[in-house]
Amino acid sequence: MAPETPADDASGAAVPTQAFGVDVGGSGIKGGVVDLGTGELVGERFKVLTPQPSTPEAVVGGIKEVVDHFGWTGPVGVTLPSVVSGGVVRTAANIDKGWIGTDPYPLLASTLGDRGFCVLNDADAAGMAEDAYGAGRDKSGLVMLLTFGTGIGSAILFHGNLVPNTELGHMEVGGKEAEHQASSKVKDDKEMSYEKWAKHVSTVLNAYEDLFWPDLFIVGGGISRKADKWVPHLTVRTPVVPATLQNTAGIVGAAMAVTAGLRP
Ligand code: BGC
């Protein structure tokens, strides 16, 4: 699929109306064409299993499969569960450690052809998408998105502008890493009730709000689908809302990031 004919913005400059995002996780590589006007996918998303071991070469092969499935020829945004700074992958949570120190851009270009790419952290992408099209849509000020899964991902946006790679899941709270006490994996591993787990989440969110004074917390990850079971138990002063884009947020944010020419 070729990118849809660009529309003109007020200045007459061409702005794309569609873009492509790929969300790489420990178990799946998911992608789709994103309508930048609505933040919705054009058609279904497509997923392949993350190859094991999930080396850069193998994962980029999976990304190519997803992109080729749609016949997409335009720019591609890619998320990784990693810190990406200065164009280099610095950490690797739930993917092969061979990513660390890798510059993914030449590898993407040699595999998918020379086109625009953006590689960014998965939670940062989800935060951009939720802020623009989801739970943060009509909210202004400082928005913090936290994703609860195997770890805790974080994104901070101020009036829509991302501060990349905040990695607040690794912040020490009460002598312990936040994601070691309040990820949804911890809840599952320790068979905690929602109420008990919400106490740990509150401890972590209290630490975040004392430091950053956000106007809104958006809570994402699979467990946000059951938000009614735990969000009411949270004891935080900042308003908390569940993410609304669910499993498309990473794809949508990646598509936004490549369109914006972001290069964290
Ligand atoms: C990683 C982050 C990532 C988050 C969610 C954390 O363990 O350090 O980079 O955003 O998990 O995948």
Side-chain angles (χ1 to χ4, degrees):
M1 191 190 291
E4 198 164 273
T5 318
D8 287 350
D9 70 8
S11 68
V15 283
T17 54
Q18 295 183 348
F20 201 94
V22 181
D23 192 18
V24 176
S27 58
I29 300 175
K30 300 137 271 179
V33 179
V34 176
D35 179 329
L36 294 168
T38 62
E40 283 166 5
L41 295 198
V42 180
E44 294 295 300
R45 66 179 198 152
F46 180 70
K47 173 178 168 176
V48 298
L49 293 180
T50 305
Q52 299 302 336
S54 47
T55 58
E57 291 72 20
V59 168
V60 170
I63 293 171
K64 179 173 165 41
E65 225 181 292
V66 171
V67 173
D68 286 352
H69 172 83
F70 294 89
W72 179 260
T73 55
V76 174
V78 175
T79 80
L80 290 176
S82 305
V83 169
V84 187
S85 74
V88 175
V89 179
R90 311 279 181 183
T91 64
N94 307 315
I95 52 167
D96 192 84
K97 300 293 174 230
W99 278 95
I100 298 172
T102 301
D103 174 351
Y105 289 93
L107 181 59
L108 284 164
S110 64
T111 312
L112 283 102
D114 208 3
R115 48 170 125 192
F117 294 106
C118 169
V119 182
L120 78 164
N121 174 263
D122 54 0
D124 281 346
M128 287 177 69
E130 285 291 342
D131 188 62
Y133 304 107
R137 193 186 172 118
D138 298 315
K139 307 287 195 294
S140 58
L142 194 113
V143 171
M144 287 183 75
L145 168 110
L146 285 324
T147 61
F148 296 87
T150 313
I152 296 179
S154 62
I156 298 185
L157 292 109
F158 184 57
H159 292 289
N161 295 310
L162 175 74
V163 179
N165 297 310
T166 45
E167 291 292 315
L168 296 179
H170 300 292
M171 192 173 117
E172 231 179 69
V173 179
K176 207 171 168 187
E177 256 187 66
E179 70 178 28
H180 292 164
Q181 52 189 304
S183 65
S184 67
K185 180 177 185 303
V186 168
K187 177 185 179 302
D188 293 345
D189 289 352
K190 300 203 169 155
E191 296 178 6
M192 278 180 206
S193 65
Y194 280 102
E195 199 167 346
K196 176 153 189 222
W197 180 66
K199 284 205 177 104
H200 294 284
V201 176
S202 294
T203 303
V204 165
L205 295 184
N206 287 149
Y208 296 163
E209 63 186 354
D210 285 349
L211 280 179
F212 297 100
W213 291 84
D215 296 293
L216 182 71
F217 280 127
I218 302 176
V219 290
I223 201 157
S224 66
R225 274 181 223 126
K226 303 259 173 67
D228 55 319
K229 292 199 191 307
W230 57 277
V231 169
H233 296 298
L234 294 175
T235 51
V236 295
R237 61 172 179 267
T238 309
V240 182
V241 293
T244 59
L245 300 180
Q246 307 294 356
N247 57 17
T248 64
I251 298 172
V252 173
M256 290 171 69
V258 72
T259 307
L262 221 68
R263 257 300 175 117

